[in-house]
Amino acid sequence: MNVYKQVNSLHRDYTSYIIVFFRVLLGIFFLFKGISFIQDSRDFENLIAPISTILGGMFIFHYVAAAHIMCGILLIFGLLSRWAVIAQLPILFGAVLINFIGEYDSTNLILSSYTLFASLYFLFYGGGNLSADHYFKLDEK
């Protein structure tokens, strides 16, 4: 029983750091992806060409770029993590589906699928113990 308590204690201590690492990594990815969309707007327009007539290309461009940058910053600090992920979900579902509507690119499909699954994890788990959400929740008590 003593070994079980030690293993459980190690799990609780180090799992927080691993989860925070992946949350910050996801936030950095969103931030850089938003910046790259702004810098290479022609590539982004070509990427969303199959659905740009349906939803309006400029609206999609501005929503995706702004959401990636804002939500990336929020995820890096762990502030409003679940809300940031909720804002990203329509973009990520669209990123997965655009591979089937337009030109199929396996690299984009794998990258968007991994990002979607990581975002769904943080939607249910939250920011973790080392986040601004957790800090402010403790501050209220």
Side-chain angles (χ1 to χ4, degrees):
M1 192 60 132
N2 193 20
V3 174
Y4 173 74
K5 288 181 181 179
Q6 288 176 344
V7 169
N8 194 18
S9 173
L10 285 173
H11 174 70
R12 272 188 277 118
D13 292 342
Y14 291 108
T15 303
S16 299
Y17 296 115
I18 294 170
I19 290 171
V20 167
F21 174 74
F22 283 115
R23 188 198 73 227
V24 170
L25 193 66
L26 184 66
I28 290 171
F29 173 74
F30 281 140
L31 182 65
F32 282 129
K33 201 64 171 170
I35 291 170
S36 75
F37 284 156
I38 290 173
Q39 288 177 344
D40 302 325
S41 61
R42 292 287 175 215
D43 291 338
F44 183 73
E45 288 175 13
N46 293 335
L47 184 67
I48 64 166
I51 60 168
S52 65
T53 57
I54 300 169
L55 298 174
M58 273 299 155
F59 173 74
I60 293 174
F61 173 74
H62 286 92
Y63 174 71
V64 169
H68 274 354
I69 291 172
M70 299 290 279
C71 295
I73 292 170
L74 290 175
L75 280 174
I76 289 170
F77 292 110
L79 184 63
L80 302 171
S81 301
R82 288 187 171 114
W83 287 105
V85 169
I86 288 172
Q88 291 292 323
L89 286 180
I91 298 169
L92 295 174
F93 282 122
V96 171
L97 291 177
I98 203 161
N99 286 296
F100 301 111
I101 295 172
E103 183 179 335
Y104 178 76
D105 186 7
S106 62
T107 307
N108 286 343
L109 178 64
I110 291 170
L111 185 63
S112 59
S113 298
Y114 283 152
T115 308
L116 176 65
F117 291 132
S119 296
L120 287 173
Y121 175 79
F122 286 111
L123 176 65
F124 293 110
Y125 182 78
N129 291 337
L130 299 172
S131 66
D133 288 338
H134 186 71
Y135 174 75
F136 290 131
K137 187 173 17 171
L138 288 178
D139 196 35
E140 288 177 359
K141 292 180 181 179

